């Protein structure tokens, strides 16, 4: 089965490269965050997108959905947001004396949960069932969300006033925490050049961003990722990384077994995107930071010393021997 049913790009490019090239029509730079988003989507996970305001987090999510021909929905998380505002509710119709189910914005394919840490834990928790089981329960009825359901939650790493930090239990539900930083100097000049020509960065249709991968094509890539060959030494390597994270001296809480499953799935997705038939240690090493960084809880003294989760993941990758 072909993974591309509607080919609208150069025929020599891999499916992932076509998606990345299409997103680049709207988003300048951020090649690695785009690749990580694709890995999480193929692996069946969800992502926490972290970055300061104005670095194109929302635009990334919208462009990704458009290039994959997926429905896009957005919820702006605020302190007064209620679970029903996300999931939906039953509305009484006086004319028929019946209740009608009004579905919320969660019934989509790609859901952007914008500034998720600005809403109280009760509303944050409304996403848990949807993220874990791809379904929601309304009035005792279970409603499926579909196999393409994908949550991209954003948060600002420098603004803490009026925020509600995500508890570890919910943070662990995100397969990856992807950091979106400032663009490179040349990319920033390109952003200004596009703006000077009158281009509207949010008008994806005017920018020529189109769907280059169908739902069937996406399903084909997911199937390839699941069937990718993994040598036993690499399974052992993933297990040693996860177990090693719990033994780091500056870590109070290390990665869970769920993190090992997520790391393996993310690494297989990355190998699939580069067209490989088997998993390599490099796929695991490159996938480790976004999968592990939000799952490590540092000791208070390590935080006072200015240590970071990324620094500890790098230490872990340096100390755990790589299989040959």
């Amino acid at each position: 089965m072909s993974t591309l049913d509607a080919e609208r790009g150069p025929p020599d490019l891999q499916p992932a490269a076509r998606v990345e090239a299409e997103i680049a029509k709207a988003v300048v730079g951020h090649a690695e965050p785009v690749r990580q988003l694709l890995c999480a989507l193929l692996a069946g996970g969800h992502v926490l997108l972290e970055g300061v305001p104005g670095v194109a987090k929302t635009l990334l999510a919208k462009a990704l959905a458009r290039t994959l021909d997926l429905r896009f929905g957005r919820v702006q998380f605020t302190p007064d947001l209620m679970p029903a505002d996300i999931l939906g509710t039953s509305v009484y119709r006086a004319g028929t004396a019946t209740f009608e189910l009004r579905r919320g914005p969660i019934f989509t394919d790609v859901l952007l949960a914008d500034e998720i840490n600005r809403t109280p834990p009760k509303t944050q928790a409304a996403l848990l069932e949807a993220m874990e089981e791809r379904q929601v329960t309304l009035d005792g009825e279970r409603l499926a969300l579909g196999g393409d359901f994908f949550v991209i939650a954003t948060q600002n790493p420098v603004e803490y006033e009026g925020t509600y930090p995500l508890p570890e239990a919910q943070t662990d539900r995100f397969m990856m925490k992807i950091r979106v930083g400032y663009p490179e100097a040349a990319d920033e000049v390109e952003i200004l050049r596009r703006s000077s020509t009158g281009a509207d960065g949010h008008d994806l249709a005017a920018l020529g961003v189109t769907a280059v991968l169908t739902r069937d094509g996406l399903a084909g890539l997911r199937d390839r990722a699941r069937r990718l060959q993994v040598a036993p030494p690499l399974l052992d390597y993933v297990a040693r990384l996860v177990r090693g994270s719990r033994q780091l001296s500056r870590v109070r809480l290390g990665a869970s077994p769920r993190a090992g499953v997520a790391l393996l799935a993310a690494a297989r997705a990355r190998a699939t995107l580069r067209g490989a038939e088997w998993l390599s240690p490099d796929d695991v090493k490159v996938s480790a930071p976004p999968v592990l960084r939000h799952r490590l809880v540092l000791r208070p003294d390590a935080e006072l010393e200015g240590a970071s989760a990324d620094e500890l993941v790098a230490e872990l990758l340096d100390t755990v021997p790589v299989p040959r």
Side-chain angles (χ1 to χ4, degrees):
M1 178 182 67
S2 172
T3 58
L4 284 169
D5 298 329
E7 301 201 357
R8 298 177 183 173
D12 56 320
L13 292 181
Q14 292 286 340
R18 298 189 187 189
V19 172
E20 292 167 6
E22 202 68 19
I23 291 176
K25 293 179 180 179
V27 181
V28 180
H30 300 320
E32 184 55 27
V34 170
R35 179 58 64 101
Q36 291 173 357
L37 278 169
L38 284 172
C39 286
L41 183 59
L42 283 194
H46 308 281
V47 302
L48 189 59
L49 207 58
E50 185 178 86
V52 298
V55 292
K57 299 187 298 296
T58 300
L59 187 57
L60 263 176
K62 290 171 63 178
L64 177 69
R66 187 175 179 88
T67 59
L68 299 175
D69 197 24
L70 298 176
R71 295 171 300 162
F72 176 77
R74 176 180 178 178
V75 177
Q76 186 65 48
F77 280 64
T78 57
D80 60 348
L81 191 74
M82 300 297 292
D85 297 326
I86 304 172
L87 306 179
T89 187
S90 292
V91 178
Y92 181 72
R93 298 297 183 187
T96 59
T98 59
F99 284 91
E100 177 184 310
L101 181 63
R102 180 176 294 174
R103 298 190 176 200
I106 200 170
F107 289 91
T108 187
D109 295 320
V110 178
L111 177 69
L112 177 65
D114 209 4
E115 296 189 285
I116 190 174
N117 57 337
R118 286 200 172 277
T119 200
K122 179 180 180 181
T123 306
Q124 293 174 3
L127 287 175
L128 288 180
E129 180 186 11
M131 291 171 62
E132 189 73 14
E133 302 180 37
R134 284 180 168 77
Q135 69 174 25
V136 298
T137 303
L138 290 174
D139 294 338
E141 182 182 358
R142 294 181 178 180
L143 304 172
L145 294 172
D148 293 323
F149 180 69
F150 181 48
V151 174
I152 301 176
T154 71
Q155 65 178 19
N156 181 347
V158 296
E159 192 172 359
Y160 299 105
E161 187 174 349
T163 62
Y164 303 82
L166 295 177
E168 282 78 10
Q170 182 161 351
T171 304
D172 194 50
R173 294 299 199 284
F174 288 98
M175 174 173 280
M176 291 184 180
K177 181 179 181 180
I178 300 174
R179 292 212 164 103
V180 182
Y182 289 116
E184 300 291 336
D187 291 333
E188 200 149 7
V189 171
E190 174 62 16
I191 293 171
L192 294 173
R193 186 196 68 77
R194 294 186 184 188
S195 178
S196 68
T197 63
D200 182 355
H202 289 277
D203 190 346
L204 299 180
L207 293 172
V209 179
T210 60
V212 294
L213 190 64
T214 64
R215 290 176 185 268
D216 286 344
L218 186 60
L221 286 175
R222 285 197 180 110
D223 185 59
R224 280 175 51 189
R226 285 192 294 266
R227 291 186 290 105
L228 194 82
Q229 298 182 33
V230 182
L234 280 174
L235 295 176
D236 181 65
Y237 180 50
V238 171
R240 284 187 287 116
L241 285 174
V242 172
R243 294 178 65 84
S245 72
R246 305 170 203 151
Q247 299 166 1
L248 294 171
S249 60
R250 293 182 288 177
V251 168
R252 178 167 60 88
L253 181 66
S256 67
R258 178 190 289 149
V261 174
L263 179 54
L264 180 62
R268 294 173 89 164
R270 179 170 283 270
T272 298
L273 290 178
R274 65 181 178 84
E277 298 294 333
W278 59 84
L279 189 67
S280 78
D282 284 341
D283 294 316
V284 177
K285 294 183 71 173
V286 174
S287 301
V291 171
L292 298 180
R293 61 166 57 108
H294 57 298
R295 292 179 160 98
L296 303 186
V297 179
L298 279 61
R299 294 184 181 277
D301 55 340
E303 292 181 344
L304 290 174
E305 294 170 1
S308 68
D310 280 356
E311 177 185 332
L312 297 181
V313 173
E315 176 185 327
L316 181 67
L317 291 172
D318 286 341
T319 55
V320 176
V322 179
R324 295 185 179 275

